[in-house]
Amino acid sequence: MKLLSLYLTLLLGSLVHAAPSESTSNIKESIIAPRGWVKRAPAPSDYAIELRIALPQPDFDELERHLYEISDPDHHRYGKYLTKEKIEEISSPSLASINAVRNWLVSHGYDEEYLSASSTKDGFRIRVPVSQAEEMLNTKYHIWEHTATGKTAVRTTAYSLPEELHVHVELVHPTIVFPGIRSMASSARLIPDIEVSTTNSSSSGGVDPVCNNEITIKCLQQIYKFVDYRPSADSGSRIGLTGYLEMFANEQDLQSFYADQRHDALNSSFALVSVNGGLNSQNLSEAGLEANLDVQFGLGLTFPLPGTFYSTAGRPPFKPDLLLPENTNEPYLDWLDFVLSHPNPPQVISTSYGEDEQTIPESYGRAVCKRFAQLGARGVSLFFSSGDSGVGDANPDPTTQMCKTNDGHNTTRFLPAFPASCPYVTTIGGTHHFPEVATSFSGGGFSDLFPRPSYQDDAVTEYLEKLPNGTYIGLFNKTGRAYPDLSAQSNNFAVFLGGVKRHVQGTSASAPTAAAIFALLNDARLRQGLPVLGFLNPLLYKIRNEHPDAFNDVTHGNNPGCGTQGFNATQGWDPVTGLGTPNFEKLKDIVLSMK
């Protein structure tokens, strides 16, 4: 069994003086600063940063093999998920990598007495002043500012390591990972107040006509056919919702929502889990739109299943400075570290945040995605919103999108989103009205970072064969991981925010909706003594082939951007609504028939 990696915590001032070893230092990673970021000044030498030194997982192919076998309903290992300990054993860095990085740290003055086991067993952390980080990484940190938002960050555009260390280090963070324009920010948007009326509204299939004007718990139960389903609080099925960067879920707003839409849930709540010192202020003026949306609909749809809200901080303490009004370390890896360190996380977790894929370094994207795979192998279904920019960049207004590559060539290109493009998560696009039509903002497309996984080969090939020759040639990667996988309602959601009923749109609404439906399917399976569904995508695409009526196929609408009409929703899978929206009744029959 491999040695587990180590975690290093070093208090400032506790250095052991030692001369760094003589070695040739070569650039490990470099980027062109993402568009909109401007270098303002050198970072203060005593500014404290926490460096994460992630080590490679040499047996990731083995982990991926396990993941696909236990996620394939036709495989004899289906549902036989791995334990936390087994995941750590498979994912542990090699002894050679551990020793190489340890020796390098010791050569820079870090005594071994400060080494201890990490929660995720995959690297080191070190809290140092900028001056020390610059010496170790042969780089210069600067204060960067995003001109459109005023956001600041301490970053560099290149760093170096001794040549012999390159194969032993996956990434050093934060170095070249810039906070995105939407840095862990919600894709949910308030929309003007609407007058809810059935006038001039029509619907069908047992769906109240008012659902064309306003989406409520009752509407979603009707549209996706689980009005009469009653989950059990004791089944063991649980749902988790994530919040980042002081996005708080308000208890008073939740009770107002229940009073309005789910009377039987009144006085129930969620378990709050703080990650990295995350808080959850209950000041109504600090209620978060995204957090309230996720918690109100995620819990409202699944009551009485237990729910967890993760509040992950991303602004660790730092020395105040006029040039540094905030610290914007991206907290994805912190949240993953935390969840992976726990033996029994919720089996369904929804996240409604994302970035343009091209704004993240390849090493960072792959590191995050591999850790999503670890959660999947433990039986966790991860849902992410597909984004609200159609085929374009982070700007939701398709008429002002840049849609240019950030590689120095400024090539016109559709811009996929991350983590939506990770093949180990289930990505959810957006619809509205009933019968359902794709929303124009529904994010979708093809990854430039991750190749297309085999589970979606048939569905995506079928779609591409229907595209006229030359359609958007050069604008997207036909062989990339395609998304979304599914979709759900994403417009006119009635939520309470700061004590007031408001209406929201965005795939931020569709992600917790889909997650809730699969938490209910887990409930149904657990009550029959069956394992939860885990990583869903191989199952979803097989169901599409064998039981296409389990999804409501969405064949109208498109997702414009980059000066184009984007892709069209069509019969079968498409890069606007995926396989369609879930039919709970049919899916329940299918998943209960699988042993």
Side-chain angles (χ1 to χ4, degrees):
M1 175 177 173
K2 293 180 179 176
L3 263 178
L4 298 179
S5 66
L6 303 173
Y7 181 90
L8 183 150
T9 301
L10 176 66
L11 298 177
L12 289 174
S14 299
L15 299 178
V16 175
H17 299 289
S21 59
E22 294 295 329
S23 178
T24 301
S25 184
N26 293 333
I27 291 177
K28 168 66 174 173
E29 292 188 284
S30 64
I31 62 164
I32 297 173
R35 189 172 290 108
W37 286 94
V38 177
K39 186 188 298 184
R40 292 303 189 197
S45 61
D46 60 346
Y47 177 81
I49 56 177
E50 184 175 78
L51 291 179
R52 177 195 182 102
I53 305 162
L55 308 186
Q57 300 176 33
D59 285 343
F60 181 74
D61 288 347
E62 177 71 1
L63 176 71
E64 189 179 49
R65 179 183 68 82
H66 284 288
L67 174 66
Y68 282 125
E69 287 182 359
I70 59 184
S71 305
D72 180 353
D74 295 330
H75 199 280
H76 67 90
R77 293 184 62 202
Y78 181 68
K80 294 179 171 59
Y81 302 116
L82 304 185
T83 64
K84 169 181 175 288
E85 292 73 21
K86 183 64 176 178
I87 293 290
E88 289 170 353
E89 178 184 334
I90 297 172
S91 302
S92 291
S94 69
L95 179 59
S97 292
I98 293 171
N99 285 337
V101 175
R102 180 199 290 123
N103 292 339
W104 174 67
L105 290 171
V106 169
S107 77
H108 278 277
Y110 300 98
D111 192 276
E112 295 219 28
E113 68 180 276
Y114 298 104
L115 301 179
S116 58
S118 77
S119 58
T120 49
K121 318 294 192 271
D122 64 0
F124 300 84
R125 289 191 188 215
I126 173 174
R127 187 168 175 79
V128 296
V130 159
S131 59
Q132 180 73 7
E134 290 179 335
E135 176 186 324
M136 296 173 65
L137 303 175
N138 192 20
T139 189
K140 291 292 182 183
Y141 279 86
H142 286 81
I143 299 166
W144 293 76
E145 180 182 5
H146 190 267
T147 54
T149 64
K151 181 178 301 179
T152 61
V154 173
R155 294 294 189 271
T156 182
T157 54
Y159 68 93
S160 298
L161 291 171
E163 185 174 2
E164 66 273 14
L165 211 60
H166 284 215
V167 297
H168 298 299
V169 172
E170 184 176 33
L171 64 95
V172 180
H173 173 71
T175 48
I176 62 173
V177 180
F178 280 70
I181 296 172
R182 297 173 290 176
S183 177
M184 301 308 297
S186 161
S187 61
R189 301 185 302 279
L190 285 172
I191 55 179
D193 290 335
I194 57 177
E195 182 177 346
V196 179
S197 169
T198 59
T199 306
N200 297 324
S201 295
S202 62
S203 193
S204 60
V207 177
D208 192 323
V210 76
C211 298
N212 274 318
N213 297 52
E214 178 184 71
I215 290 294
T216 62
I217 294 292
K218 181 180 178 181
C219 288
L220 295 172
Q221 290 174 330
Q222 292 175 350
I223 292 170
Y224 301 128
K225 301 190 182 302
F226 59 104
V227 172
D228 297 324
Y229 185 76
R230 298 291 179 266
S232 169
D234 300 321
S235 69
S237 178
R238 291 168 294 127
I239 186 170
L241 299 313
T242 65
Y244 296 95
L245 303 184
E246 291 78 58
M247 184 62 73
F248 303 137
N250 188 270
E251 295 266 8
Q252 183 177 328
D253 281 337
L254 178 62
Q255 298 308 317
S256 297
F257 176 82
Y258 283 158
D260 185 58
Q261 297 191 31
R262 186 89 207 222
H263 295 171
D264 58 335
L266 275 167
N267 300 317
S268 68
S269 189
F270 51 87
L272 172 66
V273 175
S274 171
V275 181
N276 202 27
L279 304 175
N280 194 41
S281 169
Q282 291 305 295
N283 187 327
L284 271 178
S285 66
E286 295 184 85
L289 174 62
E290 178 63 56
N292 275 12
L293 167 65
D294 289 351
V295 165
Q296 288 170 23
F297 275 89
L299 302 185
L301 289 168
T302 58
F303 179 80
L305 299 185
T308 298
F309 176 66
Y310 293 97
S311 178
T312 303
R315 298 184 175 99
F318 68 100
K319 180 181 177 180
D321 188 288
L322 291 176
L323 290 172
L324 297 171
E326 62 177 342
N327 185 332
T328 50
N329 285 355
E330 294 296 317
Y332 269 135
L333 285 173
D334 288 338
W335 180 80
L336 280 164
D337 280 355
F338 181 89
V339 174
L340 284 166
S341 73
H342 282 246
N344 193 28
Q347 306 98 330
V348 166
I349 300 176
S350 176
T351 302
S352 296
Y353 303 84
E355 305 294 346
D356 291 341
E357 187 184 72
Q358 72 163 355
T359 65
I360 59 168
E362 180 177 345
S363 63
Y364 181 82
R366 293 193 185 281
V368 170
C369 196
K370 286 178 179 179
R371 286 156 180 79
F372 290 147
Q374 291 181 31
L375 278 174
R378 289 177 55 182
V380 178
S381 304
L382 295 169
F383 290 81
F384 278 84
S385 55
S386 69
D388 290 353
S389 304
V391 296
D393 61 24
N395 188 340
D397 181 356
T399 64
T400 58
Q401 291 173 343
M402 294 288 292
C403 298
K404 300 289 186 180
T405 59
N406 197 53
D407 56 5
H409 298 292
N410 282 337
T411 305
T412 300
R413 184 88 170 170
F414 291 166
L415 298 179
F418 178 83
S421 62
C422 173
Y424 311 119
V425 306
T426 300
T427 303
I428 311 299
T431 65
H432 62 161
H433 301 317
F434 191 86
E436 291 179 274
V437 177
T439 56
S440 61
F441 54 74
S442 182
F446 300 79
S447 174
D448 288 320
L449 179 57
F450 301 103
R452 183 195 309 153
S454 60
Y455 60 72
Q456 62 175 191
D457 269 342
D458 290 346
V460 175
T461 298
E462 182 180 304
Y463 174 81
L464 291 173
E465 288 176 346
K466 291 187 290 187
L467 281 180
N469 288 335
T471 301
Y472 301 145
I473 188 167
L475 292 183
F476 69 97
N477 174 24
K478 291 185 177 182
T479 63
R481 189 284 207 244
Y483 72 94
D485 301 298
L486 296 175
S487 52
Q489 290 281 319
S490 59
N491 200 25
N492 291 335
F493 275 57
V495 301
F496 278 79
L497 179 67
V500 179
K501 187 175 182 179
R502 305 295 300 271
H503 293 88
V504 183
Q505 67 177 193
T507 54
S508 280
S510 52
T513 297
I517 290 170
F518 281 87
L520 296 178
L521 292 171
N522 279 343
D523 170 82
R525 279 179 61 86
L526 288 167
R527 290 161 71 179
Q528 295 297 316
L530 299 171
V532 295
L533 294 168
F535 173 46
L536 290 168
N537 294 3
L539 170 64
L540 298 179
Y541 286 86
K542 284 205 171 185
I543 289 176
R544 173 257 183 192
N545 292 334
E546 299 170 7
H547 308 278
D549 60 346
F551 305 113
N552 309 308
D553 199 2
V554 181
T555 59
H556 294 88
N558 59 298
N559 56 353
C562 304
T564 76
Q565 292 302 304
F567 297 107
N568 291 321
T570 187
Q571 185 176 1
W573 181 90
D574 57 69
V576 189
T577 61
L579 298 169
T581 62
N583 181 320
F584 178 84
E585 283 184 347
K586 293 185 182 297
L587 285 169
K588 180 167 72 71
D589 289 343
I590 292 168
V591 301
L592 289 182
S593 70
M594 303 180 331
K595 302 302 180 183

